[in-house]
Structures are given as C-alpha cells and as structure tokens.
C-alpha cells in the first residue's frame, strides 16, 4: 500500500476558505489514470491537479473532476503553480505547463500572483431554445438578457455563456445538471456560465456563476479561471467591441452564493482581430493530508 500526500489550496483568494478549492498532488512516479481518478474522487473537490515530469515543458499537469478527467482547469492550474513555488520545485518565475490542450505559459510574481495565457477564444452559436436554458437554470426566460447572444465559448474548455439582466436573478439559480446534455446538443459536456454587468463590489466589471458539466460529478465552481477568460473575450467581442492594439483588464467577480467569493483578473489584447487572453490570480495554502492507495 502506498501513501500519497495531497495539498488543499484555495484559488483566486488570499485567505483560506474563500475562492475555489483545488487539490494538488505531486507524483514522483506515474500512476494509472484510473488511480488518479480514484484519488480525485476521494478528495472530492471540483478539480484536483496531478503534477509530474514533462518531456516537452517544465511540468505536466493532469486535471480530474470527481467523475472524469478534464482537459483544462484554470483554478487548479493556478493552485498547482503556487504549490510548485511553495515546495521550491523551481527557481524560475516563468514556466511552461504541459496540459491536454497544449503548452500553457505562466509567470509567477514575488507575491505569488500567477498569470497564465489561455488558448485563443472560440465562439459557437447556441442554436437551441432560450426557454430551455432558462429551465436548466431554474429562472424565468425574462431574466435572460436578449441584448447579447447566448454562445458556447472556449479558451481551453467549452462553456455556455448566458447573459443575465440583473444580479438578483443569480440567487434563484438551481441547475438541472443531469439535463444539460439534452439541451446543449452541440457540446453535451459543456458547463453553463451565466454572466451579468451588474456586480456586488465596485471594483468588479462583471459577475457570474459557473455550473459544471453533467459528466464531471460536480455541481458548481466557486470561482472559475477558464470560464473567466471566456467571459472576458465575450465582453470584448459582443459587449465592448474592443479595438485592435487595445489592452484591457477586467475584474471578474464570482462565488458569493457559495460564500467563497473571489476575483479573477482577465487580461485581453486584440491585435489583427486576434485576442490574446490571460488570467491573473493567487492561491492560498490551506492544509495537507494523505491518501492510501
């Protein structure tokens, strides 16, 4: 029997028990994917990252929800990056991370602020019923803001962006997760990310919740890095119409309904109609534990 140490970090927060919890596991040798999935299920956070040696980057990250492997996860990558710094696994402040969606470049500042570059954003029109989306979120169809489109977005993983008129609607949301694949037929594994221009704090530019895909074994992310990048690109594409050679930074607010609020900084640069998207945040160590396998 082997004992595996795992670390609990809270991402997008500088204090414990806020932001989004992630498990971090450093593997000295490879483990079968089934065992990694088993460990992630025991830890039972929305995502756990497994960190190993890479032949093409500084480190290799594998992400697991309780029930399935994820190609990419922003908050778990951030937690893993800070854990690498805390464990003194490297002296470099710029790292390349191998993931299922390719090599991700990150920089880590002295105060443990991590900036990670995401994939160029992709958007695909949602062709289904707006009424069905309202039903999936347990809200009224009139709560959805039809001034802006409902679209699937991707900077590493697919999520459905749903614009909402008012902040008051968010506390009413209860996702019908098991029904997602029946309605999200273009991308049945997609999560749903309702967004709003009304915010709780003065510093924030947008507000959101994030409901996990039907196959992950999770229900809701407290603060979501990958979806925040998509949300920023959505804002620049459909709301503000960002100009070429213009840089903007947005404060994305999330997590109040779970009492785990946090902020994600989204950095956007548009050049020749192509977006470069990165997100910035920190992570806080909470505790460590062990699992026997």
């Amino acid at each position: 029997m082997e004992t595996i140490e795992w670390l609990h970090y809270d991402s997008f927060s500088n204090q414990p028990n806020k932001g989004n919890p992630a498990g971090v596991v450093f593997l000295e040798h490879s483990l079968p994917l089934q065992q990694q999935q088993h460990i992630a299920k025991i830890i039972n956070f929305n995502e756990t990252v497994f960190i190993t040696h890479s032949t093409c980057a500084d480190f290799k990250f594998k992400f697991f929800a309780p029930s399935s492997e994820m190609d990419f996860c922003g908050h778990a990558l951030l937690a893993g990056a800070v854990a690498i710094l805390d464990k003194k696994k490297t002296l470099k402040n710029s790292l390349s991370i191998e993931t299922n969606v390719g090599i991700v470049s990150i920089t880590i500042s002295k105060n443990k602020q991590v900036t990670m570059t995401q994939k160029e954003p992709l958007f695909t029109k949602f062709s289904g019923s707006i009424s069905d989306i309202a039903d999936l979120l347990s809200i009224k169809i009139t709560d959805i803001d039809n001034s802006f489109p409902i679209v699937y977005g991707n900077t590493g993983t697919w999520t459905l962006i749903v614009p909402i008129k008012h902040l008051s609607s968010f506390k009413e949301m209860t996702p019908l997760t098991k029904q997602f694949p029946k309605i999200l037929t273009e991308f049945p594994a997609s999560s749903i990310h309702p967004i709003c221009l009304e915010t709780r704090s003065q510093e924030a530019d947008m507000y959101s919740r994030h409901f996990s895909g039907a196959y992950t074994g999770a229900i809701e992310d407290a603060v979501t890095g990958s979806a925040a990048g998509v949300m920023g690109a959505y804002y620049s594409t459909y709301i503000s119409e960002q100009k070429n050679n213009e840089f903007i930074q947005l404060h994305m607010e999330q997590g109040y309904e779970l009492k785990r609020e946090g902020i994600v900084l989204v950095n956007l640069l548009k050049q020749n109609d192509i977006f470069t998207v990165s997100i910035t945040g920190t992570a806080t160590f909470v505790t460590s534990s062990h699992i026997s396998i």
Side-chain angles (χ1 to χ4, degrees), residues 8-27:
H8 171 187
Y9 277 80
D10 286 339
S11 295
F12 301 115
S13 174
N14 56 13
Q15 57 180 307
N17 302 313
K18 296 293 183 182
N20 203 353
V24 179
V25 180
F26 288 96
L27 294 179

Side-chain angles (χ1 to χ4, degrees), residues 36-52:
Q36 294 181 53
Q37 183 66 73
H38 176 67
I39 292 169
K41 188 175 182 65
I42 293 173
I43 293 173
N44 203 36
F45 287 152
N46 280 4
E47 279 84 19
T48 294
V49 58
F50 293 81
I51 303 176
T52 57

Side-chain angles (χ1 to χ4, degrees), residues 26-247:
F26 288 96
L27 294 179
E28 299 302 324
H29 58 84
S30 61
L31 283 180
L33 294 182
Q34 296 93 328
Q35 281 193 306
Q36 294 181 53
Q37 183 66 73
H38 176 67
I39 292 169
K41 188 175 182 65
I42 293 173
I43 293 173
N44 203 36
F45 287 152
N46 280 4
E47 279 84 19
T48 294
V49 58
F50 293 81
I51 303 176
T52 57
H53 171 74
S54 171
T55 59
C56 60
D58 292 307
F59 296 92
K60 182 177 182 178
F61 282 21
K62 298 282 280 184
F63 306 100
F64 287 84
S67 297
S68 64
E69 183 178 0
M70 306 291 290
D71 285 336
F72 183 79
C73 174
H75 84 273
L77 190 148
L78 190 153
V82 174
I84 286 171
L85 188 68
D86 288 346
K87 289 287 189 178
K88 296 179 171 56
K89 298 286 186 178
T90 184
L91 297 177
K92 299 194 300 183
N93 60 6
S94 296
L95 298 174
S96 57
I97 307 297
E98 179 188 353
T99 74
N100 284 0
V101 299
I103 305 296
V104 176
S105 299
I106 67 171
T107 58
I108 309 173
S109 69
K110 291 182 179 179
N111 63 351
K112 298 183 182 180
Q113 287 283 325
V114 179
T115 297
M116 67 185 80
T117 301
Q118 298 187 340
K119 290 178 60 179
E120 181 184 346
L122 301 173
F123 292 107
T124 297
K125 182 181 178 181
F126 171 71
S127 59
S129 163
I130 296 178
S131 177
D132 286 343
I133 295 299
D135 290 342
L136 285 182
L137 296 175
S138 304
I139 59 176
K140 300 185 292 295
I141 191 171
T142 53
D143 293 329
I144 295 175
D145 189 348
N146 59 16
S147 302
F148 308 108
I150 297 175
V151 298
Y152 297 96
N154 187 325
T155 57
T157 185
W158 287 105
T159 191
L160 185 74
I161 299 290
V162 182
I164 302 296
K165 291 178 182 176
H166 301 297
L167 196 60
S168 57
S169 302
F170 283 78
K171 66 179 183 295
E172 308 298 331
M173 294 176 181
T174 303
L176 304 181
T177 308
K178 292 182 180 180
Q179 296 182 29
F180 283 12
K182 298 177 183 178
I183 307 303
L184 310 182
T185 54
E186 295 93 346
F187 299 101
S190 176
S191 56
I192 298 181
H193 197 71
I195 65 171
C196 187
L197 291 173
E198 291 184 359
T199 61
R200 286 177 177 263
S201 61
Q202 193 170 12
E203 68 176 328
D205 296 291
M206 298 184 78
Y207 189 87
S208 68
R209 292 181 73 174
H210 186 83
F211 300 115
S212 305
Y215 307 127
T216 64
I219 301 298
E220 181 173 0
D221 255 7
V223 189
T224 316
S226 55
V230 176
M231 183 165 61
Y234 179 97
Y235 178 91
S236 295
T237 302
Y238 299 105
I239 299 174
S240 74
E241 297 182 355
Q242 184 178 352
K243 299 175 182 177
N244 273 310
N245 301 314
E246 180 184 7
F247 173 83

